Amino acid sequence: MENVNQAEFWQQRYEQDSIGWDMGQVSPPLKAYIDQLPESAKEQAILVPGAGNAYEVGYLHEQGFTNVTLVDFASAPIAAFAERYPNFPVEHLICADFFELSPEQYQFDWVLEQTFFLCDKSITP
Ligand SMILES: C[S@@+](CC[C@H](N)C(=O)[O-])C[C@H]1O[C@@H](n2cnc3c(N)ncnc32)[C@H](O)[C@@H]1O
C-alpha cells in the first residue's frame, strides 16, 4: 500500500498532475475568512502546512500579508509557487516534513489549514 506519510507519494502526484483534491484557486471560505481579518493581522506570523499549490498563501501575499510561511515536503508545488510568486520570500518556502520542524526555530501566531490531512506518523497504513 502506498504511504501517504512519504514525500514521494505526493511528489509523484504533482509530477503526474494527478491532483484531484486541488481546487485551482483559493478556497472560498478561507478567502472570506482572510477578507474579514483586521489590518493588524497582516504582520502576524502565519503558517500554511501541507500547502501544496498554496493558493491561500498566494492570496495572502497578494493582500499584503508579509509574514506567511508555507511548508510542504513535496518540492514540485513549492517550485511552481516560487515561479508564480518571484517576490515571495524564499526563506518562507519550507520544503520539509511538518513533523520534523523544530518548535524552537519555527513559531507562528496562527495556522491556516486546507486539506493537509494531517496524519500521526506513528500510525503506519
Ligand atoms: C491533499 S494535499 C493538499 C494540498 C493543499 N493544501 C490543497 O488544499 O490543495 C496534502 C499536502 O500535504 C503535504 N504533506 C502531507 N504530509 C506532509 C508532512 N508530513 N509534511 C509536509 N507536507 C506534507 C503533501 O505533500 C500535499 O501537498
Side-chain angles (χ1 to χ4, degrees):
M1 185 175 180
E2 292 176 295
N3 192 341
V4 298
N5 288 326
Q6 298 293 322
E8 294 72 28
F9 171 89
W10 297 98
Q11 178 73 9
Q12 272 187 12
R13 264 135 199 88
Y14 288 107
E15 288 174 353
Q16 296 165 1
D17 201 22
S18 175
I19 51 174
W21 65 84
D22 188 293
M23 297 181 71
Q25 62 173 357
V26 57
S27 165
L30 292 182
K31 177 181 180 298
Y33 177 75
I34 292 165
D35 287 345
Q36 57 80 52
L37 288 169
E39 199 64 21
S40 58
K42 293 189 173 177
E43 309 294 319
Q44 292 179 330
I46 304 166
L47 170 67
V48 182
N53 278 317
Y55 305 108
E56 288 70 31
V57 179
Y59 186 68
L60 287 163
H61 181 61
E62 288 164 0
Q63 299 311 303
F65 288 75
T66 57
N67 196 357
V68 185
T69 298
L70 76 78
V71 173
D72 204 294
F73 62 9
S75 61
I78 297 182
F81 180 90
E83 272 195 31
R84 293 203 309 279
Y85 293 96
N87 295 328
F88 192 89
V90 288
E91 65 273 21
H92 287 195
L93 301 175
I94 313 295
C95 189
D97 188 330
F98 172 81
F99 293 100
E100 307 289 328
L101 294 184
S102 148
E104 288 77 32
Q105 188 178 1
Y106 295 107
Q107 294 178 1
F108 302 95
D109 294 312
W110 51 280
V111 173
L112 190 73
E113 193 272 328
Q114 163 71 16
T115 62
F116 181 18
F117 297 147
L118 191 63
C119 298
D120 181 342
K121 290 196 89 176
S122 64
I123 303 169
T124 49

